[in-house]
Amino acid sequence: MTHDAAAPPPGRPGRLKVFLGAAPGVGKTYRMLDEARRRLDRGTDVVVAFVECHRRPHTLAMLEGLETVPPVHRPYRGGDFAELDLDAVLARRPEVALVDELAHTNVPGGRHAKRWQDVEALLAAGIDVITAVNIQHLESVKDVVEKITEVPQRETVPDEMVRRAQQIELVDLPAEALRRRMAHGNIYAPEKVDAALSNYFRVGNLTALRELALLWVAGRVDEALRHYRSEHGIGGVWETRERVVVALTGGPEGATLIRRAARIAARSAGADVAGGDLAGGDLMAVHVARSDGLATGASPAALAEQRQLVESLGGSYHSVVGDDVPAALLDFARAVSATQLVLGSSRRGRIERLLTGRGIGETTVGRSADIDVHMVAHERAGRGRLLPSRRRTLTPARLVAGPVAGLVLPVVLTAVLTGHRGSLNLTSEALLFLLAVVGVACVGGVVSAVVASLTASLLLNYYFIPPIGKFTIAEPNNILALAVFAVVAGTVAAVVDRSLRLSRRAARATAEAETLSSLAGSIVRGGDALPSLLERARETFGMDSAELMTEAESSTPLDGPGVEVAAGDGAVLVLRGRTLSAADQRVLTAFAAHVSAAVERARLAEAAAEVEPVKAADRMRTALLAAVSHDLRTPLAASRAAVGSLRSHEVRFSAEDRDELLATAEESLLRLNRLVDNLLDMSRLQAGALSLRLRATALEEVLPAALESLPAGAPAVEVRDLEQAPAVRADPPLLERVLANLIANAVRHSPPGSPVVLTASAHGDRVEIRVVDRGPGLPASERERAFEPFQRMGDTDNSTGLGLGLALARGLTEAMDGGLTPEDTPGGGLTMTVSLPAARLGDDARLPLRKGEL
């Protein structure tokens, strides 16, 4: 078949489309093949890289006429398995490749352990991929599916891999329809239908899996919608999904509000509050730490308990800073596209509401526009605050009412006192005016107090200080009294104003400390990743976006309306959205320092991870010294004793004795040579300095040398079927070392009279060499530890060598693109299986082994 379509442009990553299903048999592969046919009709170069039809006739019919890349067959545990031939697909380089079963685990021998990693390689090569996966294979819902179906899910794919798809299409089918398809034999073979319908394919299981798939896709669509709204600057609420925000003050009514909001969210989502499932975060709790004094009445312990309650109900907790609480609440609600806002009824008493005017709830309702606001009654409504609240910052209403009161209240008091002239003396009248000035100062601050003081002084002089009716003073002591009145009034007003300012600072500091403490706690606990911290910064300051840059990246000027920049230690936090006040900028700087601390924490974690190999190497050196102290010294001592005896002139040895001493020295030196060779090879392997000369190698070529290294008197080695096995692609000296070490290990553990069996057979493009013994075997829990260096399995007296044999054998085998696995020998014992690629043309090149390939 010829292909006129152009190959994908170089440098452009491929696009991914995923067909997501709730269960096997819903029709993902069929839909995928249908998509391929439609694209082929439009002239697109489409190939089927790997599709599993499970012998379903309708799916097989859809496969006809599509170009298919033949799979590669790999042997595994006595079976033959078809796998995606990644190299062939990359060489074919189509525009679109179909790859089924994204979560599949590959048979050993390929490039990657998982098929989704093969898909990543195709995307990186610029090839578009269409794939399919079931909801139970997503890592985030694996445990939920196991709980529902009671079937463990061993094959998973990271959610991020599926989320990066440009298109996700849900293949949906009602539970009863899927069961009918199963009963008609369209999914499984007839002998498997009854068991499937009574177990995994129960109506309840399928309904729950279907709901999981729908909710997961809905969340993905919601992410795309938020991204679109952010890109286009859309601030209004789109009621595509009910989201409920509950406002918390840290008071005792918080638990009541949370439960009421949870019931509202559950009714909207059709969820069960008692089950703690609100379907994807439809409930959000927010606490506004503000500078108007109310934040000082919040109990940190109560907020912590309320946060736990929200999270136990499936919601999320957020904290923001805002001087204007209604504006902060509504900004947060619009930022998360909330449709409903739950507030508690005011805890202020009637008199306080009368004096201070509209509260937070009424103001929020007035500004809410397209967000529904629920005012929830609770047992603390109208009963005031549990903790005494410091005096608040002046509201706009008090800023107007203060000066007006400073003018009106002295006039009213004058009218009252002139009606009772003669009943009070001048001192009492002056004290009453002073009391009025203090009251005005408490309402309107220092400016209002000055206005009231001037007005009261003039009225007191004109109406109550002789001569009455004139702005003159006849007696000197009256001048002193008026002066003292003015000083006292001004002093009281200044003290009241200072207390208000100090109260505001303390409240602001408390709010900032609460926010930063929450952030620092999350960093110390290590629970929040850097993206989560940036999102928290965006929410806290009500900005549109937040990003972290290095000092080099931020060297270009970052200015303009709504751009705020704060530098931390080696990092710059950039927020875009609105202009912050000076106080908020100070908090932002502290925020940046905390985020920089999170970056530093991540860097230290990476450094600690880099140190781990060094620690492992140090442990290995320690183990090496401990082993060498015995294992190298023993053959040295034996050979030295034999040579020393031969050189002695005091004893005359017979020919037989001399031969025995020479044999002892030779055997000890050979043992020492093997130990040194093992140490050198292991060092080269770990340093990445070993070079390979891979070529076609017959097993008969290396086996004699491997058997020569066995000690005298060792059990016999029985060789079977080696002549029928094809040549392998290997480095002959290294393969000899592998076989020698495995045979020596088998001989050491074989009982007397029980031979070690060596056999080989071909499986596809691989050759498996088996070394079989009838010894005590090795428990499954100990098998991996046996391949670690300096592990003497079953040795209690340091008599079995350095413990490098198995470790070196596996390392050398993997260096030659092979594998070494231990298995139980039927009837007892251990079988070591070496899997190597069969020889092919062009296997004579010298290939360097790079560090990290083991």
Side-chain angles (χ1 to χ4, degrees):
M1 181 181 293
T2 60
H3 304 280
D4 298 329
R12 176 189 72 83
R15 296 173 60 86
L16 178 65
K17 179 172 183 177
V18 176
F19 286 95
L20 178 67
V26 295
K28 303 181 303 301
T29 304
Y30 187 94
R31 291 278 292 275
M32 187 169 63
L33 292 170
D34 183 61
E35 172 84 4
R37 283 179 169 274
R38 288 188 285 108
R39 296 200 184 195
L40 187 63
D41 291 341
R42 295 196 299 264
T44 306
D45 181 17
V46 181
V47 301
V48 177
F50 188 91
V51 163
E52 182 58 69
C53 295
H54 299 287
R55 292 180 294 180
R56 296 167 186 167
H58 298 294
T59 309
L60 286 169
M62 293 294 294
L63 192 58
E64 293 179 2
L66 294 174
E67 180 187 354
T68 302
V69 176
V72 59
H73 290 268
R74 294 194 179 100
Y76 184 66
R77 294 185 176 179
D80 184 74
F81 296 88
E83 294 286 355
L84 167 67
D85 192 342
L86 180 59
D87 292 332
V89 179
L90 291 173
R92 168 63 177 79
R93 197 170 175 77
E95 289 184 86
V96 180
L98 271 65
V99 181
D100 205 359
E101 298 183 353
L102 185 63
H104 171 75
T105 299
N106 294 330
V107 170
R111 283 200 197 181
H112 304 112
K114 291 284 190 176
R115 185 164 292 164
W116 62 264
Q117 294 172 315
D118 294 335
V119 170
E120 282 187 327
L122 294 175
L123 295 173
I127 301 172
D128 294 347
V129 176
I130 303 176
T131 187
V133 69
N134 284 326
I135 187 66
Q136 69 262 27
H137 295 303
L138 296 184
E139 185 65 44
S140 64
V141 298
K142 172 179 177 289
D143 54 342
V144 180
V145 173
E146 288 184 6
K147 184 178 179 182
I148 293 171
T149 64
E150 298 180 352
V151 176
Q153 303 297 322
R154 296 184 176 87
E155 294 185 328
T156 60
V157 59
D159 286 46
E160 181 58 30
M161 178 63 193
V162 182
R163 286 181 185 277
R164 77 176 64 166
Q166 283 71 27
Q167 297 180 60
I168 299 177
E169 187 170 324
L170 178 65
V171 183
D172 188 29
L173 195 65
E176 289 298 343
L178 182 58
R179 285 171 59 84
R180 283 196 301 271
R181 182 179 290 181
M182 171 72 73
H184 292 160
N186 294 330
I187 300 178
Y188 289 161
E191 63 272 13
K192 298 181 179 180
V193 170
D194 290 339
L197 289 175
S198 59
N199 290 282
Y200 192 89
F201 284 81
R202 296 194 299 266
V203 173
N205 288 357
L206 297 177
T207 303
L209 292 173
R210 187 185 181 203
E211 183 178 8
L212 279 176
L214 290 168
L215 290 174
W216 194 92
V217 173
R220 179 66 178 84
V221 173
D222 188 59
E223 291 176 8
L225 179 60
R226 285 203 303 268
H227 181 68
Y228 176 84
R229 284 163 51 87
S230 175
E231 279 188 340
H232 292 77
I234 300 174
V237 175
W238 288 3
E239 299 182 6
T240 56
R241 181 178 179 181
E242 293 291 343
R243 291 183 177 85
V244 182
V245 172
V246 54
L248 303 178
T249 65
E253 76 282 359
T256 302
L257 300 183
I258 291 170
R259 292 189 176 93
R260 178 61 182 276
R263 289 195 294 272
I264 294 173
R267 284 197 297 271
S268 302
D272 178 14
V273 179
D277 180 14
L278 294 176
D282 289 328
L283 174 65
M284 288 162 280
V286 59
H287 171 64
V288 179
R290 64 184 192 178
S291 61
D292 62 0
L294 283 180
T296 58
S299 167
L303 285 174
E305 292 177 359
Q306 291 162 16
R307 177 174 187 165
Q308 291 178 356
L309 177 60
V310 169
E311 292 175 349
S312 70
L313 292 174
S316 57
Y317 177 89
H318 308 266
S319 178
V320 299
V321 173
D323 292 332
D324 187 344
V325 175
L329 287 175
L330 292 171
D331 286 346
F332 174 81
R334 291 191 175 97
V336 297
S337 297
T339 56
Q340 303 186 60
L341 182 59
V342 177
L343 303 175
S345 299
S346 176
R347 289 184 290 174
R348 299 176 303 157
R350 293 182 180 179
I351 298 177
E352 187 178 359
R353 290 200 299 270
L354 182 63
L355 292 176
T356 58
R358 298 175 65 183
I360 293 174
E362 295 174 349
T363 305
T364 304
V365 170
R367 302 180 187 176
S368 61
D370 48 2
I371 299 178
D372 297 335
V373 180
H374 301 264
M375 299 296 296
V376 178
H378 53 87
E379 59 181 6
R380 295 296 306 177
R383 295 174 56 185
R385 308 185 184 282
L386 276 184
L387 298 177
S389 174
R390 294 184 174 93
R391 198 168 302 280
R392 295 183 232 172
T393 314
L394 298 180
T395 63
R398 290 174 63 180
L399 290 174
V400 174
V404 173
L407 293 172
V408 174
L409 189 58
V411 173
V412 173
L413 183 58
T414 299
V416 172
L417 292 179
T418 53
H420 298 81
R421 191 182 297 279
S423 59
L424 298 174
N425 58 23
L426 180 60
T427 303
S428 300
E429 292 166 344
L431 290 175
L432 288 174
F433 274 101
L434 181 60
L435 181 61
V437 172
V438 172
V440 171
C442 293
V443 173
V446 68
V447 175
S448 301
V450 170
V451 173
S453 178
L454 292 174
T455 305
S457 299
L458 294 174
L459 293 174
L460 189 63
N461 184 5
Y462 189 84
Y463 286 100
F464 300 101
I465 296 178
I468 295 173
K470 296 181 180 180
F471 288 106
T472 58
I473 300 175
E475 298 181 9
N477 62 334
N478 290 337
I479 297 175
L480 178 61
L482 187 60
V484 171
F485 170 81
V487 171
V488 171
T491 302
V492 169
V495 170
V496 170
D497 183 72
R498 178 175 175 79
S499 67
L500 287 173
R501 286 188 284 109
L502 291 177
S503 174
R504 179 181 180 182
R505 290 179 184 175
R508 177 73 187 188
T510 302
E512 294 173 0
E514 179 185 343
T515 301
L516 295 177
S517 174
S518 174
L519 175 67
S522 65
I523 293 175
V524 170
R525 289 190 300 270
D528 285 20
L530 190 57
S532 301
L533 297 178
L534 293 177
E535 178 63 18
R536 178 173 293 191
R538 186 195 67 78
E539 291 176 352
T540 298
F541 297 99
M543 306 297 276
D544 295 335
S545 65
E547 59 181 317
L548 193 67
M549 298 182 175
T550 63
E551 291 180 343
E553 293 172 337
S554 63
S555 56
T556 4
L558 294 170
D559 50 11
V563 179
E564 297 291 343
V565 180
D569 185 10
V572 178
L573 182 61
V574 181
L575 282 80
R576 294 180 173 85
R578 64 186 179 90
T579 302
L580 299 179
S581 64
D584 284 340
Q585 288 176 352
R586 185 175 66 252
V587 179
L588 178 60
T589 302
F591 223 106
H594 281 77
V595 174
S596 297
V599 174
E600 181 66 13
R601 180 188 181 95
R603 188 188 65 78
L604 291 175
E606 292 179 0
E610 293 175 357
V611 169
E612 280 302 317
V614 179
K615 293 171 61 178
D618 184 66
R619 288 193 298 269
M620 181 171 291
R621 282 192 294 270
T622 303
L624 172 62
L625 291 175
V628 166
S629 64
H630 175 274
D631 293 297
L632 292 183
R633 189 176 298 169
T634 300
L636 279 174
S639 59
R640 181 180 178 183
V643 173
S645 300
L646 290 172
R647 293 187 60 190
S648 174
H649 298 290
E650 299 176 358
V651 180
R652 298 183 64 84
F653 294 100
S654 65
E656 292 81 4
D657 291 338
R658 292 178 64 85
D659 291 341
E660 183 177 353
L661 288 174
L662 288 172
T664 300
E666 182 181 18
E667 181 179 348
S668 298
L669 291 174
L670 286 174
R671 180 182 174 189
L672 180 61
N673 185 64
R674 287 196 302 270
L675 291 174
V676 172
D677 286 344
N678 282 343
L679 287 172
L680 291 176
D681 285 344
M682 182 59 68
S683 299
R684 285 195 290 267
L685 277 171
Q686 292 177 343
L690 186 68
S691 60
L692 304 177
R693 184 176 179 81
L694 301 179
R695 63 177 180 84
T697 304
L699 299 180
E700 297 91 340
E701 176 185 349
V702 297
L703 184 60
L707 295 176
E708 286 178 1
S709 62
L710 294 178
V717 176
E718 183 180 336
V719 180
R720 302 175 184 171
D721 304 327
L722 282 192
E723 66 280 357
Q724 300 177 4
V728 297
R729 183 172 181 263
D731 185 308
L734 296 188
L735 180 57
E736 174 194 328
R737 299 293 305 283
V738 170
L739 294 178
N741 285 338
L742 292 179
I743 294 171
N745 182 74
V747 164
R748 185 164 56 247
H749 293 95
S750 293
S754 178
V756 173
V757 177
L758 183 67
T759 182
S761 59
H763 297 274
D765 60 350
R766 309 283 290 186
V767 177
E768 290 187 353
I769 308 167
R770 292 180 176 84
V771 180
V772 184
D773 68 60
R774 294 290 179 179
L778 195 60
S781 59
E782 297 289 331
R783 288 179 182 174
E784 284 306 312
R785 194 168 69 89
F787 290 99
E788 297 177 6
F790 311 114
Q791 297 295 325
R792 299 182 176 95
M793 308 310 297
D795 176 25
T796 58
D797 59 358
N798 286 343
S799 62
T800 60
L802 282 173
L804 286 176
L806 293 182
L808 185 58
R810 171 172 279 187
L812 294 177
T813 303
E814 291 177 351
M816 294 183 291
D817 194 24
L820 174 59
T821 55
E823 298 174 353
D824 290 327
T825 301
L830 187 67
T831 298
M832 289 290 185
T833 303
V834 178
S835 174
L836 289 170
R840 59 192 182 191
L841 294 177
D843 281 342
D844 292 331
R846 185 175 178 83
L847 304 176
L849 178 65
R850 297 179 298 273
K851 188 173 183 179
E853 288 185 340
L854 295 183

